[in-house]
Amino acid sequence: QLVESGGGFVQPGESLRLSCAASGIIFRPYAMAWFRQVPGKQRELVAGITSSGRTDYLDSVKGRFTISRDNVKNAVYLQMNSLRTEDTAVYYCNSKLALWSWGQGTQVTVSS
């Protein structure tokens, strides 16, 4: 089971750090990713990280978001800086290929 946390309500320009943990799943061998979804739209991949630590990002978040992983803690993180209103969404983690059932996600709301 995937468990995301760290979301909240922030103003534009502020930061949040999302965390992803799991029970019964070992992240180490897998490329991991953060996704987000807004009502009425498809879920989109925001950031990915390979098992060796190589990262890639959605163009609109490059330079603002940073994905990282801690294989000892079996956790994945998303540091989100300079948040914009268009970043408002429910954020989910999963393997990059979405191999596992989706968790509840964590709501991020950016509004003035």
Side-chain angles (χ1 to χ4, degrees), residues 28-48:
R28 183 188 298 270
Y30 299 98
M32 297 295 297
W34 283 94
F35 302 78
R36 67 187 180 189
Q37 188 171 26
V38 298
K41 292 191 176 181
Q42 282 193 327
R43 192 170 286 158
E44 64 179 354
L45 192 150
V46 175

Side-chain angles (χ1 to χ4, degrees), residues 36 45-46 56-64 84:
R36 67 187 180 189
L45 192 150
V46 175
D56 62 279
Y57 298 93
L58 184 68
D59 282 349
S60 63
V61 308
K62 283 180 181 176
R64 301 188 297 122
R84 303 171 180 170

Side-chain angles (χ1 to χ4, degrees), residues 3 6 8 13 30 51 92-93 103:
V3 180
Y30 299 98
S51 57
Y92 303 86
C93 72

Side-chain angles (χ1 to χ4, degrees), residues 39-92:
K41 292 191 176 181
Q42 282 193 327
R43 192 170 286 158
E44 64 179 354
L45 192 150
V46 175
I49 184 167
T50 67
S51 57
S52 60
R54 193 168 37 185
T55 59
D56 62 279
Y57 298 93
L58 184 68
D59 282 349
S60 63
V61 308
K62 283 180 181 176
R64 301 188 297 122
F65 290 11
T66 302
I67 187 172
S68 61
R69 64 191 300 161
D70 185 330
N71 289 332
V72 174
K73 295 183 178 179
N74 200 43
V76 180
Y77 307 100
L78 186 67
Q79 177 67 43
M80 306 188 296
N81 298 329
S82 302
L83 281 160
R84 303 171 180 170
T85 54
E86 55 263 37
D87 296 319
T88 295
V90 179
Y91 284 71
Y92 303 86

